[in-house]
Amino acid sequence: MLMTAADVLWDMDCPACGGPVTLEVGPDRPSSTSLSDVVLDAAEDERLDVVRACWDCGWQEERQLRVEAIETTAGDADAIERARLLEEITDELEAIEALGTLEDTLAGVRRQRRLEPAAEDTNEDVTEEE
């Protein structure tokens, strides 16, 4: 059995008894990591270990996957930038331990949101004639 495997319910019934099957992904993966996240985060020539197991009857299947090549296409630049900023904000918020600081930050964000639509509406009416 993999020692640091992620254990997630799988959309499959056990071929031996029909019971629920779990999927374990490893090695060296946090317990909250899903198979799709592991595959998307994999590096070229990386080996992934996957174990499907039935806890009712003990049936088990082990597979090793190797990433031969990775091809990516360019994504939406705005979506990529938004994801980067959200990750940065999340990291900052996790580092803040004072509840008052988080409450003040949330209040500031809400104030900014209330002001933004008014600023955006005025900019849309402006035409550039040069």
Side-chain angles (χ1 to χ4, degrees), residues 93-112:
L93 291 175
E94 287 174 355
I96 297 172
E97 294 182 17
L99 183 59
T101 303
L102 289 173
E103 290 171 342
D104 292 345
T105 302
L106 181 58
V109 168
R110 288 180 175 156
R111 272 192 306 277
Q112 185 64 34

Side-chain angles (χ1 to χ4, degrees), residues 33-68:
T33 307
S34 69
L35 177 60
S36 59
D37 288 340
V38 170
V39 170
L40 291 173
D41 291 339
E44 194 167 331
D45 291 326
E46 184 174 354
R47 190 193 84 217
L48 308 172
D49 297 326
V50 180
V51 176
R52 294 188 300 176
C54 175
W55 290 92
D56 291 341
C57 72
W59 173 85
Q60 180 173 311
E61 175 185 64
E62 296 182 27
R63 292 184 179 206
Q64 291 185 345
L65 308 171
R66 186 173 61 84
V67 179
E68 289 186 9

Side-chain angles (χ1 to χ4, degrees), residues 13-45:
D13 293 330
C14 174
C17 72
V21 174
T22 59
L23 179 70
E24 299 170 349
V25 183
D28 305 325
R29 302 285 186 232
S31 60
S32 61
T33 307
S34 69
L35 177 60
S36 59
D37 288 340
V38 170
V39 170
L40 291 173
D41 291 339
E44 194 167 331
D45 291 326

